[in-house]
Amino acid sequence: MTTTGQAVQVDEGKLMQFVFRAVDEVGATLNAALVVMGDRLGLYQALDGAGPLSPAELAERTGTAERYVREWLNTQAAGGYVEYEPDGGRYTLPPEQAMALTDPDSPAYLPGLFQTALGAVLDSPKIGDAARSGAGFGWHEHGPDVHEGCERFFRPGYNANLISAWLPALDGVVAKLERGGLVADVGCGYGASTVLMAQAFPNSTFAGSDYHDGSIEMARRRAQEAGVHEQINFETAAAAAYSGTGYDLVTMFDCLHDMGDPVGAARHVRGTLKPDGTWMIVEPHAGDRVEENFNPVGRAFYCFSTLLCTPASLSQDVGLALGAQAGEAKIRDVVTAGGFTRFRRVAETPFNLVFEARP
Ligand SMILES: C[S@@+](CC[C@H](N)C(=O)[O-])C[C@H]1O[C@@H](n2cnc3c(N)ncnc32)[C@H](O)[C@@H]1O
C-alpha cells in the first residue's frame, strides 16, 4: 500500500490494473483514426479474401507507401483486427473482421461508427468550451464525418430490421403502406430510412424532413441515386414545423432525444397524424436507470451523448437534453405530454429500442 498526500491508502495492484486498462484505451482511441484511415485507403478491402499479404503486397495493391502500411498493419495485428504470421511476415484479415470492416450491407458493419466517433472527437474542444459556458452545439455545426459516419453506421441496422421486423411490429401499418400510405420521416438526416421505406413500399408517398439543410441536400441525392426521388419530398424543417397533415405514419429514427423541444415535436406529430395514425420512435437502447447502462453499448452511447446529442439539444429552444440514454420511461413522458394516449415498446436490438405511439 502507498499513501497519497491526503493519507488515502492506494492499492498499488489496483492502481496498475487501472493504468494498464487506460493504456489499452489510449490504443483504442488512436485506433479509431487508424480504422478510418484503413477504410479510406482501401486497406481492409484489399486484405479481404486476399489471404496472407506482406506490407509491400498490400501497399502495391492500394497505391500506398510500404513503410506506412507496415506500421498500420502492426497496429491492426496488436489490436486483433488482423492476424500476423511471424514466419512469413504476412498479415491476414479474418472473415469475421472482413464482414464487420468491409461489407456495408452487414448489420455488423463498423466503419461508420468509427467515422462518426472520430468526427465527434475532432470537434470535442468546442464541446469543452460549451461545457464551460453552458451553451449548446448544434448537429449542423459538426463536420461532415459526424453526419456521414452516422448514416453509414445506422443504415445497415435499418436494412436488417426496419422492413422485416420494426414496421411489422406496429399495429396495421404494413397493410396501409402496401395499399399506399402517407409517411413523414422526421429528423431523417441523410434519408437512409426514408429511401429504404420508399423502396419497400412503392405505393406509398414519403415526406422526409430535417432541420439541417446539408443533410437534406444529401438525402435528395441518395433518393435520386436509389431511383425513389419521385416518391419522396424532402424539406428542411424542424420537427415542430414540418409540413403536411393526414399522415398514416410518422417516423423518427435516433433523433427525438437530439431535439431541444421533443414535447413540442410530439404535439406537432399528434396534429399531423390521421386519427388512427401511428408514430414510430426509434431510440438508442437504454435502461431507465443510469447504472443499467454501464455496459459497452451504454458507455459508447453516453460518450456520443456528451459530445453530440446533449449539446445538440441544448443548442435549441427549450433545451430539454434528454440524452442518448434517456430510456423508455422518459420517452413515454415526452410522448404522453405531446397528447398521445397509447405507448408501447414493440421491438429492440442491442443498439435500439422501438416504440409505437398512437393518438
Ligand atoms: C443522430 S442523427 C439521425 C439521423 C437519421 N434519422 C438517421 O437515422 O440516420 C439526428 C438527426 O436529428 C436532426 N435534428 C436534430 N434536432 C432536430 C429538430 N429539432 N428538428 C428536426 N431534425 C432535428 C439532426 O439534424 C440529425 O440529422
Side-chain angles (χ1 to χ4, degrees):
M1 289 281 182
T2 308
T3 53
T4 68
Q6 291 162 336
V8 175
Q9 283 200 327
V10 170
D11 180 324
E12 278 179 46
K14 283 188 186 167
L15 174 63
M16 288 321 289
Q17 217 179 357
F18 177 67
V19 167
F20 279 113
R21 194 174 90 89
V23 169
D24 194 29
E25 302 215 339
V26 170
T29 307
L30 293 168
N31 193 49
L34 295 170
V35 170
V36 170
M37 182 172 142
D39 177 48
R40 290 205 171 122
L41 294 176
L43 300 174
Y44 296 118
Q45 293 285 353
L47 283 163
D48 181 19
L53 291 183
S54 68
E57 288 163 342
L58 182 58
E60 204 203 313
R61 289 176 188 210
T62 52
T64 50
E66 187 274 343
R67 187 64 191 91
Y68 279 93
V69 169
R70 190 175 2 134
E71 215 64 7
W72 179 86
L73 278 166
N74 286 334
T75 69
Q76 299 305 288
Y81 282 55
V82 303
E83 286 167 359
Y84 177 58
E85 288 169 21
D87 284 350
R90 288 186 149 72
Y91 302 78
T92 306
L93 186 67
E96 295 76 19
Q97 275 85 333
M99 179 174 276
L101 293 164
T102 69
D103 179 2
D105 294 326
S106 163
Y109 187 61
L110 290 171
L113 186 57
F114 280 100
Q115 186 182 353
T116 201
L118 187 61
V121 167
L122 289 172
D123 289 339
S124 63
K126 295 171 195 157
I127 304 304
D129 292 345
R132 278 187 206 286
S133 68
F137 192 85
W139 181 260
H140 62 284
E141 295 177 81
H142 287 285
D145 276 339
V146 166
H147 309 143
E148 187 185 290
C150 176
E151 179 209 23
R152 293 178 76 205
F153 172 53
F154 285 136
R155 195 189 321 106
Y158 300 157
N159 282 344
N161 299 295
L162 175 54
I163 308 301
S164 62
W166 295 347
L167 290 173
L170 303 170
D171 191 16
V173 165
V174 167
K176 287 182 194 171
L177 300 191
E178 279 170 351
R179 279 197 303 273
L182 187 58
V183 181
D185 189 13
V186 177
C188 68
Y190 280 22
S193 49
T194 335
V195 166
L196 191 59
M197 291 190 286
Q199 286 171 321
F201 299 103
N203 295 329
S204 287
T205 305
F206 296 82
S209 61
D210 197 289
Y211 92 124
H212 177 219
D213 51 2
S215 289
I216 286 299
E217 203 177 300
M218 287 305 296
R220 286 199 182 104
R221 203 179 297 174
R222 297 284 192 260
Q224 187 91 32
E225 285 159 6
V228 290
H229 51 289
E230 287 180 1
Q231 254 177 287
I232 310 175
N233 180 48
F234 284 110
E235 69 168 336
T236 301
Y242 64 85
S243 60
T245 54
Y247 291 106
D248 295 287
L249 174 68
V250 174
T251 55
M252 285 191 193
F253 294 88
D254 205 78
C255 59
L256 183 65
H257 65 271
D258 290 310
M259 296 173 189
D261 183 11
V263 175
R267 277 196 208 101
H268 188 66
V269 174
R270 175 78 178 79
T272 63
L273 271 181
K274 278 185 181 159
D276 67 340
T278 302
W279 179 20
M280 179 170 80
I281 304 153
V282 178
E283 277 289 297
H285 200 289
D288 289 330
R289 297 176 64 84
V290 165
E291 62 272 26
E292 289 173 55
N293 304 318
F294 296 164
N295 54 63
V297 172
R299 182 189 186 199
F301 283 164
Y302 274 129
C303 291
F304 280 123
S305 187
T306 308
L307 293 171
L308 302 178
C309 315
T310 300
S313 177
L314 289 173
S315 75
Q316 300 181 18
D317 284 348
V318 181
L320 189 63
L322 285 170
Q325 293 289 269
E328 180 167 344
K330 288 203 182 88
I331 301 296
R332 178 191 292 274
D333 287 347
V334 164
V335 167
T336 308
F340 287 81
T341 62
R342 290 169 287 171
F343 178 84
R344 66 184 178 112
R345 185 192 295 205
V346 294
E348 63 188 279
T349 70
F351 294 111
N352 296 110
L353 296 176
V354 184
F355 303 109
E356 176 194 71
R358 308 289 303 270

